[in-house]
Amino acid sequence: MDNLSDTLKKLKITAIDRTEDSLEGCLDCLLQALAQNNTETSEKIEASGILQLFASLLTPQSSCTAKIANVIAEVAKNEFMRIPCVDAGLISPLVQLLNSKDQEVLLQTGRALGNICYDSHEGRSAVDQAGGAQIVIDRLRSLCSRTDPASEKLLTVFCGMLMNYSNENDSLQAQLINMGVIPTLVTLLGIHCHNAALTEMCLVAFGNLAELESSKEQFASTNIAEELVRLFKKQVEHDKREMIFEVLAPLAENDAIKLQLVEAGLVECLLEIVQEKVNSDKEDDIAELKTASDLMVLLLLGDESMQKLFEGGKGNVFQRVLSWIPSNNHQLQLAGALAIANFARNDGNCIHMVDNGIVEKLMDLLDRHVEDGNVTVQHAALSALRNLAIPVVNKAKMLSAGVTETVLKFLKSEMPPVQFKLLGTLRMLIDAQEAAEQLGKNVKLVERLVEWCEAKDHAGVMGESNRLLSALIRHSKSKDVIKAIVQSGGIKHLVTMATSEHVIMQNEALVALALIAALELGTAEKDLESAKLVQILHRLLADERSAPEIKYNSMVLTCALMGSESLHKEVQDLAFLDVVSKLRSHENKSVAQQASLTEQRLTVES
């Protein structure tokens, strides 16, 4: 260290005299000291004030420039040295050196700037202001096609510098994207895929940039899908594959890229991994199986990519995914059920799948998960059944297959995601009067629905419970169903539903309440009173924002309530006639006609 102090003193004198031989000797001593103890040497360099001198020595003409840049690169490995490097004014001369033709100068300059930028806001800011990023991208473009070892090393350093410059900084990443870095990096990957270090650098850069929404369009305009799939096929090591997966996952969120990945053959690679790893209990293999099957499900979220893989229900991929459902591996069961839910996104696919026995496979899977089952598998299988139940022609087939019986086994579930899908599946299935009547007389179901109508922490479950209650009445038109719902305390929830912010739910509630008033007014009278239905109807009719169909159904319901003495009195006391007579001139013809009919009814009854 005494030698180091002497070297630093000598360096100061030499720097002023500009005697290059002595300068080179001093720099060699410094690099040697940094190699032995970087931290301590860096502290001494900072204390000596030599950094400020370096700024004036960093000139393209000097034969020592590469070594000075190397010293800066070494000291900037220490976090505490990055701000001093910026404060010493080193960034601007370093950025100017990026225009050098000397390969060693470029290499050391790239290292220096990359290390100064690492996790340093001040370093990045200074490089940004000096315009360093654009120069580096231009250099990458000009060197891109050179495959000699020295050029590849330089390309790796420049990629690393851009990564350190923009890592976890959205605005700098957006700047690089606007400068067109993505097509450049994709071209690099294609040409240099044999070079492990450079490939790795490109992948990390892609991983960072792919998180940004604005990058997806640029990625989609390149051949990134082909390059990544080609690279993926070559990899045997888990870590390398994982690195590619980390790029594929955010990219596959984009529908155009999903299709490109499917066309590039990614699905075949994923199916191969699943086959290889399915019986392994190694941690890495289990993780890779999960990643591959999750990515497979993600690819099916795109309409075009999904339809391409469905191939009219005869595709190899579709058949392989089907075989996951009866497997004993929970991850594959989950991915299989989610894949079916994704395939079931149009009527044609749904009808084909129901006709080909998918429902039975999903019911078997659910049966395996009734007692202490896997919640994610339950949720996924119910999602698939719900989607399959959407086409009208499938409903009767699914009912006769016993889907409602299987689904009702999960009534005791305390998991809101499972409750939500269970409710949605039942609601999709009960368009038929017979099914609605059968379910509506199921006291356990109705009681559970009324309980879930109060699940204020889970708006989805609450909304679906209300909608199913209403649907049971609307589709069954059954007095017994209405009595079951009244006895379970469901009326107040239907009245509250009539005030929902969603017009469709308001409407469903009003139609159900009108049926209750028409079929079982005596049974429901007290509950309708205590739920303040009449006041709510008055408010809906008086409110200019109410949709035409809400006004129409509110008047139909008001007329139906006239059969009850107490409710009739409430209608009279609230001066409904005033509100209704105004609606006779409503722009909607149906509303105007119903207003005239309602006015006549109210006048006769008063």
Side-chain angles (χ1 to χ4, degrees):
M1 281 299 153
D2 290 343
N3 276 352
L4 178 61
S5 302
D6 293 344
T7 300
L8 288 168
K9 281 177 196 163
K10 189 177 174 190
L11 189 57
K12 276 189 175 179
I13 299 160
T14 317
I16 296 160
D17 295 349
R18 304 266 170 147
T19 43
E20 299 217 346
D21 291 350
S22 310
L23 192 57
E24 198 153 340
C26 292
L27 291 167
D28 284 338
C29 286
L30 275 191
L31 287 166
Q32 214 171 345
L34 283 162
Q36 284 166 0
N37 188 334
N38 192 313
T39 308
E40 204 176 320
T41 306
S42 294
E43 284 168 350
K44 293 241 178 182
I45 288 172
E46 190 195 354
S48 72
I50 202 81
L51 286 177
Q52 282 77 0
L53 283 176
F54 281 167
S56 60
L57 294 174
L58 284 168
T59 60
Q61 298 79 22
S62 167
S63 61
C64 297
T65 298
K67 280 188 180 163
I68 296 169
N70 190 357
V71 170
I72 297 167
E74 290 301 317
V75 300
K77 286 178 178 176
N78 301 288
E79 191 180 348
F80 67 86
M81 288 299 288
R82 289 169 200 152
I83 292 176
C85 284
V86 174
D87 293 344
L90 296 177
I91 303 298
S92 187
L94 283 169
V95 167
Q96 292 310 309
L97 289 175
L98 291 170
N99 295 306
S100 168
K101 290 188 169 54
D102 183 310
Q103 206 138 4
E104 185 61 19
V105 169
L106 287 171
L107 185 75
Q108 299 305 340
T109 302
R111 285 185 62 234
L113 288 169
N115 290 351
I116 292 169
C117 285
Y118 184 78
D119 224 0
S120 164
H121 169 70
E122 292 77 7
R124 292 169 178 185
S125 221
V127 172
D128 180 21
Q129 282 164 10
Q134 185 66 65
I135 302 173
V136 171
I137 292 174
D138 291 341
R139 296 300 327 221
L140 283 176
R141 284 193 192 116
S142 63
L143 289 165
C144 193
S145 56
R146 287 164 59 171
T147 53
D148 57 285
S151 295
E152 290 199 321
K153 194 174 177 186
L154 188 51
L155 286 165
T156 308
V157 166
F158 280 163
C159 282
M161 183 246 148
L162 288 179
M163 217 163 55
N164 287 354
Y165 170 71
S166 65
N167 191 32
E168 291 182 2
N169 184 313
D170 285 0
S171 65
L172 292 179
Q173 286 179 352
Q175 179 199 70
L176 294 183
I177 291 165
N178 290 335
M179 289 174 177
V181 74
I182 289 171
T184 305
L185 290 175
V186 174
T187 307
L188 261 184
L189 182 67
I191 296 170
H192 302 275
C193 55
H194 58 276
N195 184 306
L198 186 47
T199 297
E200 204 164 300
M201 217 46 105
C202 285
L203 288 173
V204 177
F206 290 147
N208 290 343
L209 295 169
E211 296 294 339
L212 240 70
E213 207 42 55
S214 59
S215 73
K216 306 276 172 46
E217 216 167 291
Q218 264 205 37
F219 273 118
S221 66
T222 69
N223 62 335
I224 183 77
E226 282 172 52
E227 294 298 355
L228 288 175
V229 173
R230 190 167 57 164
L231 191 64
F232 191 85
K233 285 176 178 171
K234 289 181 187 170
Q235 306 307 322
V236 282
E237 292 169 47
H238 169 77
D239 293 350
K240 294 278 164 53
R241 279 178 169 182
E242 194 173 15
M243 211 169 190
I244 301 171
F245 272 138
E246 280 169 14
V247 181
L248 288 169
L251 285 180
E253 286 167 14
N254 176 279
D255 281 1
I257 299 173
K258 281 186 182 80
L259 187 59
Q260 290 169 8
L261 289 168
V262 167
E263 287 172 342
L266 177 61
V267 173
E268 288 70 17
C269 299
L270 298 177
L271 290 171
E272 214 170 291
I273 289 173
V274 168
Q275 204 166 347
E276 274 174 34
K277 312 292 181 187
V278 67
N279 297 316
S280 171
D281 50 10
K282 283 191 202 159
E283 212 171 298
D284 280 356
D285 289 348
I286 293 166
E288 204 166 333
L289 175 79
K290 179 177 177 358
T291 308
S293 54
D294 283 350
L295 187 51
M296 181 79 204
V297 171
L298 181 58
L299 291 174
L300 292 173
L301 276 172
D303 287 338
E304 281 188 82
S305 50
M306 176 273 288
Q307 211 51 46
K308 190 174 178 65
L309 294 171
F310 189 66
E311 289 182 68
K314 295 180 174 60
N316 172 44
V317 173
F318 174 65
Q319 296 301 333
R320 290 276 285 279
V321 166
L322 268 192
S323 72
W324 295 354
I325 292 173
S327 98
N328 291 319
N329 182 305
H330 280 187
Q331 174 57 34
L332 280 194
Q333 292 171 357
L334 171 65
L338 287 172
I340 296 303
N342 285 345
F343 279 125
R345 285 211 314 279
N346 63 53
D347 284 6
N349 291 5
C350 288
I351 292 164
H352 180 279
M353 287 193 276
V354 168
D355 287 346
N356 283 274
I358 303 288
V359 169
E360 288 72 13
K361 283 187 168 67
L362 290 167
M363 284 162 57
D364 289 346
L365 176 61
L366 281 169
D367 277 337
R368 292 163 71 184
H369 286 276
V370 175
E371 299 302 328
D372 307 319
N374 182 304
V375 173
T376 52
V377 174
Q378 292 171 358
H379 179 260
L382 288 167
S383 295
L385 286 174
R386 182 198 171 280
N387 288 2
L388 290 169
I390 292 171
V392 176
V393 295
N394 282 356
K395 296 181 197 293
K397 292 173 187 171
M398 290 176 72
L399 285 167
S400 62
V403 171
T404 48
E405 291 78 358
T406 299
V407 170
L408 287 170
K409 291 174 187 173
F410 295 91
L411 261 187
K412 57 181 182 283
S413 171
E414 294 302 330
M415 305 305 292
V418 174
Q419 296 166 354
F420 180 70
K421 288 297 176 187
L422 172 151
L423 292 163
T425 307
L426 291 177
R427 190 165 62 79
M428 281 300 150
L429 283 170
I430 59 161
D431 275 11
Q433 189 168 356
E434 193 185 331
E437 192 164 355
Q438 196 184 343
L439 279 176
K441 290 178 186 170
N442 181 327
V443 177
K444 274 187 184 165
L445 169 64
V446 173
E447 285 175 351
R448 197 71 161 129
L449 290 182
V450 171
E451 181 191 328
W452 287 341
C453 281
E454 290 172 7
K456 290 192 169 53
D457 293 344
H458 302 287
V461 172
M462 196 163 81
E464 277 292 345
S465 301
N466 277 303
R467 293 190 76 186
L468 184 52
L469 265 189
S470 155
L472 290 171
I473 295 167
R474 287 182 295 110
H475 295 305
S476 72
K477 300 179 179 62
S478 155
K479 291 186 171 201
D480 291 338
V481 170
I482 292 168
K483 283 176 188 165
I485 289 171
V486 172
Q487 279 158 14
S488 301
I491 295 296
K492 63 181 178 188
H493 298 300
L494 290 169
V495 174
T496 305
M497 184 181 167
T499 65
S500 164
E501 58 192 21
H502 304 290
V503 172
I504 191 165
M505 285 177 70
Q506 277 186 294
N507 223 11
E508 288 171 359
L510 291 168
V511 172
L513 288 165
L515 281 165
I516 291 169
L519 298 170
E520 275 297 326
L521 186 54
T523 312
E525 185 178 45
K526 281 195 168 53
D527 287 356
L528 293 171
E529 263 183 81
S530 59
K532 301 200 168 17
L533 173 62
V534 173
Q535 288 93 317
I536 286 168
L537 288 174
H538 188 272
R539 203 165 67 232
L540 290 174
L541 288 169
D543 189 345
E544 287 179 8
R545 292 165 302 177
S546 294
E549 59 268 42
I550 300 304
K551 289 188 186 295
Y552 178 89
N553 284 321
S554 295
M555 288 188 281
V556 170
L557 177 51
T558 304
C559 292
L561 296 177
M562 292 295 105
S564 153
E565 203 175 310
S566 55
L567 292 167
H568 182 179
K569 187 176 182 311
E570 281 188 38
V571 171
Q572 282 179 313
D573 292 348
L574 271 175
F576 264 69
L577 263 172
D578 299 348
V579 181
V580 171
S581 60
K582 283 178 191 166
L583 293 174
R584 283 192 332 197
S585 56
H586 197 278
E587 59 187 359
N588 182 294
K589 275 186 185 169
S590 301
V591 172
Q593 283 170 354
Q594 186 59 42
S596 296
L597 292 171
T598 307
E599 188 180 40
Q600 286 167 26
R601 181 78 191 269
L602 292 176
T603 310
V604 170
E605 302 275 353
S606 59

